């Protein structure tokens, strides 16, 4: 994604969230996430400039699917992460566990509507 402009809202950069679902052979996605955590790789990503969140979750309905919620301050921070040596380490681990990925990308909104707020418990 290098070279893309940061998302902007009213002239300001806005945060973006990337959800990545990892799947593979039974136990592979969970083993990958565990190795990301125990090896310090996940902590190294969390320490990168602009990283706001980097957390793994295991799906209750499908324990062989792991979700990564990856949040960045702006597109420039995500581009720097993608250009970093950390990405080759992550790719090595994905290959090691033969994982497949489904990626969704979300950009911050300017807030919900009154109708949405009626359903939210804060």
């Amino acid at each position: 994604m290098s070279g893309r402009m940061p998302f902007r809202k009213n002239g300001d950069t806005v945060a973006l969230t990337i959800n990545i679902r990892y799947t593979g052979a039974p136990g592979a996605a969970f083993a990958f996430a565990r190795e990301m955590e125990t090896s310090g790789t996940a902590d190294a990503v969390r320490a990168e400039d602009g990283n706001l969140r980097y957390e793994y979750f295991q799906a209750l309905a499908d324990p062989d699917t792991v979700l990564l919620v990856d949040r960045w301050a702006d597109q420039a921070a995500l581009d720097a992460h993608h250009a970093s040596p950390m990405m080759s380490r992550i790719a090595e681990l994905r290959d090691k566990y033969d994982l497949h990925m489904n990626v969704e990308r979300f950009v911050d909104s300017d807030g919900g509507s009154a109708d949405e707020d009626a359903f939210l418990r804060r």
Side-chain angles (χ1 to χ4, degrees):
M1 289 187 214
S2 183
R4 292 176 60 175
M5 295 299 297
F7 287 100
R8 298 199 179 271
K9 178 181 84 178
N10 300 330
D12 298 324
T13 59
V14 296
L16 55 136
T17 300
I18 312 298
N19 287 351
I20 303 174
R21 284 181 182 80
Y22 290 102
T23 58
F30 184 78
F32 162 79
R34 182 181 3 215
E35 187 165 347
M36 286 288 295
E37 292 292 345
T38 60
S39 70
T41 304
D43 284 335
V45 173
R46 291 180 189 113
E48 290 183 55
D49 287 341
N51 183 266
L52 303 174
R53 183 176 187 187
Y54 196 86
E55 293 182 280
Y56 289 97
F57 300 89
Q58 188 173 25
L60 294 176
D62 181 3
D64 290 322
T65 296
V66 169
L67 170 68
L68 168 63
V69 178
D70 190 14
R71 186 164 168 77
W72 296 89
D74 56 25
Q75 184 65 49
L78 180 60
D79 289 345
H81 167 65
H82 285 162
S84 75
M86 190 60 53
M87 284 306 297
S88 63
R89 174 66 180 142
I90 295 168
E92 288 171 11
L93 288 176
R94 284 192 309 238
D95 289 346
K96 175 181 176 179
Y97 292 101
D98 192 24
L99 296 179
H100 303 277
M101 300 164 36
N102 174 282
V103 179
E104 298 173 313
R105 179 185 182 106
F106 303 92
V107 178
D108 278 3
S109 72
D110 58 358
S113 68
D115 291 338
E116 289 173 339
D117 287 342
F119 296 102
L120 297 178
R121 184 175 184 188
R122 298 189 195 270

